Amino acid sequence: MRRLGDTCPVTQAPAVVVRDLHVRFGDVEAVSGVDLTADSGQATALLGRNGAGKSTTMKVLAGVVPPTAGEVTVGGHDAATDALGVKRVVGYCPDVGGLVPRATPWEHLQLSARLRRMDEWEERGRDMLERFELGDVAHRVVGGFSHGMSRRLSVVLAALHEPTVLLLDEPFDGVDPLGVEATLEVVADARARGACVLLSTHLRDLALEACGTAVVLRGGNRVAAMQAGELTGEAYRALLD
Ligand SMILES: Nc1ncnc2c1ncn2[C@@H]1O[C@H](COP(=O)(O)OP(=O)(O)OP(=O)(O)O)[C@@H](O)[C@H]1O
């Protein structure tokens, strides 16, 4: 039985390694040559315009879409051959979906904890729901939730089990300032306990606040990787054009 706070195997290698990733859906090449590395204890922002390939890259890192070509290792697991191993080490907030409309937030937490054979998770679960102002609706089905409430619950579910690699795809989308603050705290907490965080967003300012490193994608390619502080508005705009 896994307990919160259990230490994960520490490796010297970067927590996430992506080399020349290609992902094809039929005739569409969604990702065509992305390279990135991300270290434990660091947060990396994936930035880029609509259709740049951010969500597809995140799906590969989460083990839910296989790479068509290239090398992808997440927490030491090869995404092409060991998707289950990848799923075990990540916490993933998808860009859309992932929630069961007829279930309540508390039931989502219960299911997640059971699937991961977690013990002693209730206090953290309650605390996280409170931090994301979902405590009052913990027993209301999520089918009636606003978009922002659903996003907040998706972040809670991704982070509940204190994963080695935390993947947040558009976590700020439609989320109010208190939800943004709670999400930034989740990122900071994850970094502090040595997790590797990857966060995709269109919002440069929030990316800079949350992350020390920024990777910019365009047309399925990585066009830049830099310290987040170097990504001025002007530099970002130039990379997008
Ligand atoms: N399942 C799919 N089938 C076909 N094409 C897809 C599929 N998923 C993504 N694509 C295409 O791949 C490209 C990259 O999409 P992706 O969702 O990864 O971009 P994104 O950077 O996350 O965009 P956004 O910021 O709008 O969410 C787009 O052209 C998209 O239409």
Side-chain angles (χ1 to χ4, degrees):
M1 190 70 80
R2 201 189 139 216
R3 286 178 172 74
L4 289 175
D6 281 357
T7 51
C8 299
V10 176
T11 55
Q12 293 303 315
V16 170
V17 179
V18 177
R19 291 213 183 94
D20 199 23
L21 171 65
H22 291 251
V23 183
R24 182 173 274 283
F25 299 106
D27 292 339
V28 179
E29 182 133 45
V31 173
S32 50
V34 165
D35 290 282
L36 69 89
T37 58
D39 291 321
S40 301
Q42 301 295 326
T44 300
L46 275 189
L47 289 145
R49 296 181 61 182
N50 294 133
K54 303 179 298 295
S55 292
T56 306
T57 301
M58 291 293 241
K59 285 180 179 131
V60 174
L61 297 178
V64 298
V65 164
T68 307
E71 183 195 327
V72 178
T73 340
V74 182
H77 301 273
D78 185 327
T81 58
D82 186 14
L84 191 58
V86 170
K87 285 179 184 153
R88 285 203 178 109
V89 294
V90 303
Y92 174 47
C93 163
D95 57 339
V96 285
L99 300 180
V100 181
R102 286 189 182 187
T104 68
W106 191 252
E107 287 166 342
H108 280 84
L109 266 56
Q110 281 178 321
L111 178 63
S112 173
R114 249 175 235 164
L115 286 172
R116 296 179 182 278
R117 299 180 184 203
M118 289 163 61
D119 195 12
E120 299 169 15
W121 58 272
E122 286 93 343
E123 192 181 335
R124 176 169 163 81
R126 258 182 230 109
D127 177 55
M128 288 197 76
L129 289 178
E130 289 297 335
R131 279 163 70 181
F132 280 81
E133 300 203 314
L134 292 169
D136 290 347
V137 293
H139 301 289
R140 195 198 289 176
V141 295
V142 305
F145 276 19
S146 71
H147 177 69
M149 290 164 80
S150 300
R151 297 307 297 150
R152 285 187 271 146
L153 177 57
S154 295
V155 173
V156 170
L157 288 167
L160 176 70
H161 57 292
E162 300 189 323
T164 309
V165 177
L166 178 61
L167 304 170
L168 302 176
D169 194 353
E170 299 287 357
F172 305 119
D173 184 33
V175 171
D176 65 27
L178 290 174
V180 167
E181 212 170 282
T183 302
L184 291 172
E185 274 175 28
V186 161
V187 172
D189 289 352
R191 291 177 68 174
R193 66 176 169 75
C196 168
V197 183
L198 277 121
L199 183 155
S200 108
T201 179
H202 301 107
L203 306 169
R204 188 190 64 95
D205 290 350
L206 284 175
L208 302 194
E209 206 172 330
C211 301
T213 310
V215 171
V216 181
L217 304 185
R218 189 176 63 205
N221 287 293
R222 187 193 82 174
V223 289
M226 63 187 77
Q227 293 298 304
E230 296 168 22
L231 190 65
T232 60
E234 210 177 319
Y236 185 39
R237 173 117 214 113
L239 288 166
L240 294 182
D241 284 341

